[in-house]
Amino acid sequence: MMNDIWILLTASLVAINAALLGCFLLLRKMALVGDAISHAVLPGIVVAYYFSGDKTSLLLLIGATLTGVVASLMIDFLTKKAKIQGDASIGITYTLLFAVGMILISTWLKGNVDIDMDCVLYGEIGLINLDKIIIDGNLYIGPMAFYTELFAFFCIGLTLVLGFKGFKLLAFNEDYARGLGINTTRWHYVLMTLVSLTTVVSFEVVGAVLVVGFLIIPAATAQLISKKLNRMMFLAAIFGIAAVVIGYALAIWLNVNITGAMVSVSGIIFMMVLIIDKFFRKQQVSKSLNPA
Amino acid sequence: MQTLIDFITFKDPNVIYVVLGMICINTSSAVIGTFAFLRKRALIGDAIAHALLPGVCLGFILAGDKNIIYLLGGAFLTGWLATFLVDYIVNQTKIKQDAAIGIVLSTLFAFGIVLMSVIQNGDYANEGGLNNFLFGQAAAINKDEVYIFGIILLVILVATYFFYRAFLSISFNYDFAASAGLPVKTIEFVLTSLTVLAIAAGIQALGVVLMSALIITPAAAARFWSNNLRVMLLIAVVFSVFSGVLGAYVSYANAGVPTGPWVVLILSLITIISFVFSTKKGILYRILLANKNKRKIFTENILKSIFQWHEKKQKDIAEPFAAADLLSVRLFSTRELNKGLVKLKQKGLLVADGTKFYLSAEGIVESKRIVRLHRLWEHYLLRRTSMDENHVHAGAEAIEHVLSPEIEKELEKELGILGIPKDDY
């Protein structure tokens, strides 16, 4: 029971972190850049892990986060310098970096139990309790993954609070922001760094491939029904947590993959909100057309 | 080395199937990918590829075995569902296409992961083969599958041959195709079906996660080498098949290594080489061109200031001058100026005479030409636009280097000026 609660708490933090950043990615029309970054951190994680031999070291955190930033630089380079269209640049970048990561796994980390193909796909959320933090010899205060997520949450929270105005302007009107003299490039890369950090710390919990579901789907669901940024961020976090809790319950009940269930539920919530919202809109329209 | 010889000589009969399979798969996806790339719908392929996983799993559950027909059928179904859902979300909400792709891709992929865990927990024979669909294992291609991939390739090639003009017109200009009366919806439907088919065939070799590379990357690389669609298709196919067979070899030589990542790595390297070294749009070529232009502009500016100096001093243009004299008419850095003078000497436009220089006959013609272009343009701006005479110089300074003899004649006719105008602004 205690284990379940820790898993839910950790996964909820993953969902909150990802959902908050997802809102900005979505508004900046960069949803797939988030997807690309989450795939692209893989080689960084493998290389850093190979040298540090530890899945939670600071070296891994920094090294892998930098790879994500490199991916976004590479996308910009391909679009601006090589003049390849945007969507193709994203596709080329993430497939290349992900391929490099997988080649490294299959050669350097052959037979390793900590990082293997399954972990890349959907993480090891069921096993996070193995890596416990115990203080004073016997006081168990939760799994390591929870605290790395908490750390990421504080990083994201602090940056968003301090730079809220900048992010908001960047999200809604980049040209206007630049006109006001705001360094939009800097804010852009701050956002990319945060996205990269989130995918790196979430890697062992939900893997590199499915994290994009946490980034985009709850934020998109919130965008369907809210017109204000604050409300959208709040709702996105709620939708994310709901998907985590329902998905986990379903996965335990049906004995299926936990992360897969969470993201599937997230997608179902999205479709339900879309259909309900459409239904109400239709009623409103018909009411205003026939007031009697 | 021995494995390479084994591979090339098809000593292992399986190698024949693998190579034939890769040729079919990579040709199909390169052809279809080129159209997807030109339609700027490259990442739809990504959504389709990820969405195939639940289809493959459903096919496996229904067939109870790794039956290629069931797997491809399931894949085709969910692949189509993915394209439909993306279009539905984009049309019904304010959500943009890229976000819609992300939503559909991750949901269907996650559902596929759920189904995979169901299969792993149940008692199915031969379930291990399913992992090959995630990251690709070309070595697993067998004889029956080669036939099916061959049929898919044939369908795609025949369709491309018959619908070539239609595909071409909706790829380059959708609105034009629609207004010209082409049945764009039907063509799109055919193209999407072929895309799903090509991707469904490819996941065996590349895996769902990396399959989009086989759609996007060959086309992106080929785009650097040609503007002609036929040539582009051919180049994309060559690049793709080359990487596919090489990747299959690496995977063959190191048992258990997935094929997908190697194919993608080789393809990406080809793309990088293309955009650096391409003679049409390569980055290196563009840098060289820019430098050449810069040098041309610089030497032309020197020639112009030589003329201006002589004019100012009321000397004959053929009289000698010192390098330092030019600094009184135009600001040059001394080092750059000396380099420029050496260049002009090499071209035979300038002759050195001790520490001084004078223009050769050709040099005189050339310097007069540039000054004339500059002043013609100034006059044109003054007379034909409402520009003030303080502002016409900057425009002329830029355009004098690119005006062709034809435009020079036009200007001459338009303004009625012969020879070099006297006024300089």
Side-chain angles (χ1 to χ4, degrees):
Chain A
M1 190 60 210
M2 207 50 212
N3 278 352
D4 293 335
I5 288 173
W6 279 120
I7 289 176
L8 281 176
L9 280 176
T10 312
S12 298
L13 270 179
V14 173
I16 295 169
N17 289 343
L20 291 180
L21 294 175
C23 291
F24 290 102
L25 283 177
L26 220 57
L27 291 171
R28 276 179 62 56
K29 301 178 186 69
M30 304 187 90
L32 286 177
V33 176
D35 186 25
I37 288 180
S38 63
H39 281 76
V41 295
L42 186 62
I45 288 176
V46 177
V47 171
Y49 175 81
Y50 183 72
F51 286 111
S52 68
D54 185 359
K55 258 205 294 192
T56 46
S57 72
L58 196 66
L59 178 73
L60 190 137
L61 202 67
I62 296 168
T65 304
L66 280 179
T67 329
V69 179
V70 167
S72 74
L73 281 170
M74 187 171 155
I75 294 172
D76 290 344
F77 176 81
L78 286 180
T79 330
K80 288 182 189 139
K81 295 285 175 200
K83 306 220 190 310
I84 299 176
Q85 63 207 38
D87 59 343
S89 304
I90 292 175
I92 293 171
T93 304
Y94 100 78
T95 49
L96 170 62
L97 289 172
F98 193 74
V100 170
M102 279 175 38
I103 288 171
L104 291 179
I105 288 182
S106 66
T107 49
W108 287 5
L109 303 180
K110 213 170 183 177
N112 188 290
V113 285
D114 268 346
I115 296 184
D116 57 8
M117 300 293 191
D118 290 348
C119 179
V120 173
L121 282 175
Y122 40 75
E124 289 166 334
I125 195 164
L127 304 176
I128 54 168
N129 284 306
L130 294 180
D131 197 359
K132 291 172 181 176
I133 292 192
I134 294 169
I135 48 172
D136 286 347
N138 55 9
L139 185 61
Y140 170 50
I141 57 158
M144 187 67 198
F146 176 78
Y147 289 96
T148 42
E149 282 299 331
L150 203 61
F151 165 73
F153 177 70
F154 280 120
C155 287
I156 293 166
L158 200 68
T159 322
L160 286 187
V161 168
L162 290 179
F164 191 70
K165 267 207 174 128
F167 278 124
K168 199 171 166 180
L169 271 171
L170 197 66
F172 288 103
N173 198 335
E174 192 173 342
D175 294 330
Y176 177 60
R178 207 174 299 133
L180 286 181
I182 292 171
N183 188 342
T184 49
T185 317
R186 192 175 67 199
W187 286 113
H188 170 71
Y189 283 106
V190 169
L191 182 63
M192 293 300 116
T193 311
L194 287 180
V195 172
S196 187
L197 176 75
T198 312
T199 49
V200 173
V201 296
S202 309
F203 175 75
E204 64 161 333
V205 188
V206 298
V209 180
L210 282 176
V211 71
V212 64
F214 288 84
L215 273 171
I216 301 174
I217 304 176
T221 318
Q223 199 189 14
L224 288 175
I225 53 171
S226 62
K227 288 204 171 74
K228 284 190 101 109
L229 181 59
N230 298 1
R231 222 170 95 99
M232 179 178 165
M233 287 164 70
F234 177 73
L235 283 174
I238 298 291
F239 284 129
I241 296 170
V244 162
V245 175
I246 301 171
Y248 187 67
L250 279 177
I252 297 298
W253 182 44
L254 299 170
N255 188 23
V256 292
N257 184 283
I258 299 168
T259 319
M262 287 173 177
V263 177
S264 301
V265 168
S266 202
I268 293 168
I269 293 178
F270 172 83
M271 279 318 281
M272 273 164 52
V273 171
L274 198 167
I275 290 165
I276 294 170
D277 181 56
K278 242 189 87 173
F279 179 71
F280 276 112
R281 246 168 242 260
K282 227 179 228 166
Q283 280 207 325
Q284 265 174 2
V285 170
S286 61
K287 230 181 237 167
S288 61
L289 286 176
N290 319 301
Chain B
M1 200 59 216
Q2 189 55 42
T3 51
L4 182 66
I5 293 165
D6 285 355
F7 189 81
I8 295 171
T9 55
F10 300 132
K11 204 171 174 189
D12 182 349
N14 277 328
V15 174
I16 302 175
Y17 302 134
V18 172
V19 170
L20 282 178
M22 289 308 268
I23 290 174
C24 293
I25 290 168
N26 288 32
T27 310
S28 311
S29 54
V31 169
I32 287 303
T34 305
F35 291 112
F37 177 85
L38 291 173
R39 291 167 69 211
K40 303 204 165 49
R41 284 172 72 94
L43 283 173
I44 292 271
D46 201 19
I48 296 174
H50 280 76
L52 296 186
L53 186 63
V56 168
C57 291
L58 277 176
F60 185 87
I61 291 174
L62 283 178
D65 196 355
K66 224 186 109 197
N67 180 323
I68 185 76
I69 300 286
Y70 276 84
L71 298 188
L72 276 182
F76 192 73
L77 220 70
T78 45
W80 245 112
L81 181 70
T83 23
F84 167 76
L85 281 177
V86 169
D87 286 341
Y88 178 79
I89 293 172
V90 172
N91 289 334
Q92 296 295 328
T93 68
K94 59 190 169 185
I95 288 171
K96 297 283 174 302
Q97 198 199 30
D98 64 333
I101 289 175
I103 294 165
V104 171
L105 171 158
S106 50
T107 307
L108 286 176
F109 186 73
F111 186 56
I113 293 287
V114 168
L115 287 179
M116 273 195 89
S117 64
V118 169
I119 293 170
Q120 273 153 10
N121 292 337
D123 0 285
Y124 292 94
N126 191 18
E127 63 183 47
L130 270 188
N131 263 326
N132 292 341
F133 287 101
L134 286 171
F135 298 117
Q137 190 56 265
I141 296 175
N142 61 33
K143 199 170 153 191
D144 297 342
E145 286 165 357
V146 172
Y147 286 135
I148 289 176
F149 297 154
I151 293 168
I152 291 176
L153 173 64
L154 203 66
V155 169
I156 287 171
L157 288 183
V158 169
T160 311
Y161 181 78
F162 282 110
F163 293 110
Y164 182 77
R165 298 226 148 256
F167 287 176
L168 184 144
S169 46
I170 77 161
S171 300
F172 282 102
N173 199 335
Y174 186 90
D175 295 332
F176 169 76
S179 66
L182 280 172
V184 281
K185 290 277 170 227
T186 318
I187 301 168
E188 265 202 311
F189 177 83
V190 172
L191 210 45
T192 308
S193 305
L194 293 178
T195 311
V196 177
L197 210 57
I199 295 174
I203 54 169
Q204 172 86 350
L206 262 275
V208 294
V209 187
L210 290 175
M211 184 56 209
S212 55
L214 221 47
I215 296 286
I216 304 169
T217 317
R223 190 76 185 87
F224 284 107
W225 297 102
S226 177
N227 285 326
N228 179 320
L229 181 58
R230 282 167 209 270
V231 182
M232 205 181 138
L233 280 169
L234 192 72
I235 296 173
V237 167
V238 170
F239 283 166
S240 182
V241 167
F242 172 77
S243 330
V245 174
L246 204 59
Y249 165 70
V250 174
S251 168
Y252 169 80
N254 309 285
V257 172
T259 327
W262 284 102
V263 177
V264 172
L265 187 69
I266 297 161
L267 256 182
S268 305
L269 288 180
I270 293 178
T271 311
I272 291 168
I273 292 170
S274 296
F275 88 69
V276 176
F277 294 108
S278 151
T279 47
K280 278 208 169 68
K281 292 173 212 141
I283 233 166
L284 207 63
Y285 173 73
R286 272 194 276 137
I287 291 172
L288 288 177
L289 195 70
N291 279 344
K292 206 177 132 200
N293 268 333
K294 228 161 96 186
R295 273 202 307 275
K296 177 173 171 262
I297 290 173
F298 190 72
T299 46
E300 286 185 354
N301 281 339
I302 295 178
L303 286 173
K304 198 170 63 184
S305 37
I306 295 172
F307 182 95
Q308 282 166 333
W309 183 77
H310 286 90
E311 192 182 47
K312 211 167 96 186
K313 299 280 173 204
Q314 295 187 326
K315 289 185 177 183
D316 185 71
I317 182 91
E319 278 184 49
F321 61 93
D325 293 337
L326 299 181
L327 296 173
S328 65
V329 269
R330 194 187 178 95
L331 205 62
F332 290 110
S333 98
T334 326
R335 222 185 92 230
E336 296 261 303
L337 178 62
N338 286 334
K339 264 206 288 193
L341 290 172
V342 171
K343 258 257 139 34
L344 285 171
K345 229 163 55 186
Q346 283 166 356
K347 281 190 186 165
L349 298 177
L350 204 63
V351 183
D353 179 18
T355 55
K356 294 209 161 194
F357 300 92
Y358 61 91
L359 285 169
S360 70
E362 286 163 56
I364 292 172
V365 173
E366 185 64 12
S367 82
K368 277 183 174 167
R369 185 184 71 87
I370 290 154
V371 174
R372 179 170 144 81
L373 285 175
H374 180 92
R375 291 185 186 171
L376 270 178
W377 191 256
E378 283 180 344
H379 277 266
Y380 176 73
L381 288 181
L382 268 178
R383 293 194 206 169
R384 294 289 179 265
T385 72
S386 52
M387 266 190 170
D388 185 76
E389 57 182 55
N390 294 319
H391 297 136
V392 294
H393 173 76
E397 191 71 4
I399 207 146
E400 65 196 20
H401 306 289
V402 292
L403 286 179
S404 64
E406 290 81 18
I407 300 177
E408 189 183 347
K409 280 225 176 65
E410 286 282 312
L411 284 172
E412 201 177 86
K413 224 166 66 189
E414 176 86 19
L415 302 167
I417 297 176
L418 293 170
I420 303 171
K422 276 276 163 290
D423 344 272
D424 196 0
Y425 299 98

